[in-house]
Amino acid sequence: MLTSRTQLPLATASVGPVSWRESTIKEIKFSQAVVERSDKKGLDFGRTTDPLPSLRDNCVQQSNTVILSYVRETRAVLVKLRESFLDTNEEVKSLIRGKEALEKKLEHIRKDIALNKISTEVRSTRPSRERPRDGADGLLEKELQHLYHLKKSLENKLRVVQKQLQV
């Protein structure tokens, strides 16, 4: 079964000046005629007798070389991108784990502050003969100050981590 090549009319080209278009059409027609003649003969006669590769073979070989190097470079870029993505993903996971740990510590600090306040209130309701301040009251105050300081520090760290995760 013979398949015919579908050809578009060459005169429909509308790019460039008329002289360029006409010379291009002439070259295309000449090339088509050469291809048709070689297809009709059906032989690669010139390739078998000529020890030097033909122009077409050279073009194909050079094109394949360029394509191969481009594909290799593209694969190398893809590998680097994949590694960067995996590294970034691991950093994000680490930041999320750190954020969760900070939130957990902050929750414990808040509970400790509430417990400290309850303890201070309980000590304020003791009988009048036991009301004079002693070392326990001082310890509760210092502990409360320390807990507030820790809370402030953890909240600042948590803000930094949240900003990093948003970026």
Side-chain angles (χ1 to χ4, degrees):
M1 179 174 162
L2 291 174
T3 59
S4 64
R5 297 180 187 181
T6 57
Q7 296 180 359
L8 296 175
L10 295 175
T12 59
S14 63
V15 177
V18 175
S19 62
W20 175 80
R21 180 177 40 188
E22 289 175 356
S23 68
T24 303
I25 290 172
K26 184 178 176 183
E27 289 177 17
I28 291 172
K29 285 182 179 181
F30 177 74
S31 298
Q32 285 176 339
V34 169
V35 169
E36 287 174 5
R37 268 190 271 135
S38 69
D39 285 348
K40 284 181 183 175
K41 290 182 181 178
L43 298 174
D44 288 335
F45 189 73
R47 291 186 193 154
T48 57
T49 59
D50 189 6
L52 299 175
S54 68
L55 176 63
R56 182 182 284 180
D57 291 339
N58 278 337
C59 289
V60 166
Q61 188 176 17
Q62 288 176 356
S63 296
N64 286 342
T65 303
V66 169
I67 291 169
L68 182 63
S69 67
Y70 175 77
V71 168
R72 284 182 180 157
E73 290 171 6
T74 305
R75 285 182 183 152
V77 169
L78 182 66
V79 167
K80 288 180 182 178
L81 285 173
R82 188 175 291 145
E83 288 173 356
S84 295
F85 172 74
L86 291 174
D87 291 344
T88 304
N89 196 29
E90 288 300 317
E91 286 185 33
V92 167
K93 286 179 185 178
S94 175
L95 280 172
I96 290 173
R97 283 191 300 270
K99 177 185 167 209
E100 290 170 353
L102 281 173
E103 288 172 341
K104 189 175 180 181
K105 288 177 185 178
L106 197 56
E107 186 60 34
H108 287 292
I109 295 289
R110 287 180 181 137
K111 287 178 184 177
D112 290 343
I113 289 172
L115 182 62
N116 183 290
K117 287 182 180 179
I118 291 171
S119 297
T120 303
E121 287 175 19
V122 166
R123 289 192 58 81
S124 68
T125 60
R126 60 187 175 195
S128 58
R129 68 174 191 257
E130 295 177 9
R131 280 212 181 146
R133 293 184 52 84
D134 58 2
D137 292 321
L139 284 175
L140 284 173
E141 286 176 9
K142 287 191 184 233
E143 181 188 39
L144 186 62
Q145 289 173 355
H146 180 69
L147 289 172
Y148 276 131
H149 176 72
L150 282 175
K151 179 183 172 197
K152 184 177 177 182
S153 173
L154 289 175
E155 285 173 343
N156 288 335
K157 288 179 182 178
L158 185 61
R159 272 190 228 107
V160 169
V161 170
Q162 288 172 336
K163 281 183 183 178
Q164 287 177 344
L165 284 173
Q166 287 176 355
V167 173

